[in-house]
Amino acid sequence: ATAMSASGVGKSSLLKALLPEADIAVAPEGQGPEGTVGHHVTSRATLYRLPSGGAVIDSPGVRAFGLWHVAPREVAQGFVELRRLAAGCRFNDCLHLGEPGCAVREAVERGEVDPRRWRSYRRILEELRQGPRGGPGAA
């Protein structure tokens, strides 16, 4: 099985606890940005064999994930519940931000859309509006 995790959440520290003899770099607690615990120290993927069998790959975490190639009107297509509702909007290019006849906003107001999903949708639109910060690979 594979999984990706955010940067600075302790992936290497957990692996070091499992394999104390391995040379695994970890940031000292409290040495992350602004005194936080998490700090990105892993710079490349490394395969570690577990004594009980199997293996674990320690890899750099994900700091940012850009969707700047996506048009704002396409964002709702990534939310299955919004995609279904958007078919009922008055306008094909509705962004669901207050346009008249918006079926998505009506469903949000009725409590039919999970507020966390709605906030996520709005946050993505805002990030698209602001554009990429620092270009590819910006953290």
Side-chain angles (χ1 to χ4, degrees):
T2 62
M4 291 189 84
S5 184
S7 181
V9 297
K11 294 182 297 295
S12 296
S13 295
L14 180 59
L15 188 55
K16 190 163 185 72
L18 291 171
L19 300 170
E21 71 286 350
D23 183 25
I24 302 170
V26 295
E29 188 171 329
Q31 296 301 307
E34 299 175 18
T36 61
V37 175
H39 183 66
H40 184 91
V41 295
T42 306
S43 59
R44 61 186 171 86
T46 305
L47 175 76
Y48 295 95
R49 300 247 178 236
L50 299 174
S52 59
V56 175
I57 297 174
D58 190 17
S59 63
V62 178
R63 286 186 183 250
F65 181 75
L67 292 174
W68 299 288
H69 63 284
V70 175
R73 63 182 175 74
E74 296 172 330
V75 173
Q77 297 303 308
F79 292 79
V80 66
E81 69 276 57
L82 301 186
R83 180 176 52 227
R84 180 182 50 79
L85 292 164
C89 289
R90 181 174 171 191
F91 300 105
N92 295 358
D93 60 351
C94 186
L95 290 178
H96 323 298
L97 299 176
E99 297 88 339
C102 175
V104 171
R105 286 291 302 172
E106 292 169 5
V108 168
E109 290 168 8
R110 288 191 304 266
E112 297 172 8
V113 173
D114 183 323
R116 292 172 297 179
R117 298 281 287 168
W118 179 244
R119 283 191 301 272
S120 180
Y121 169 77
R122 299 285 304 264
R123 185 174 52 251
I124 291 170
L125 283 183
E126 179 59 23
E127 289 174 8
L128 286 175
R129 187 188 68 74
Q130 291 177 6
R133 295 181 203 135

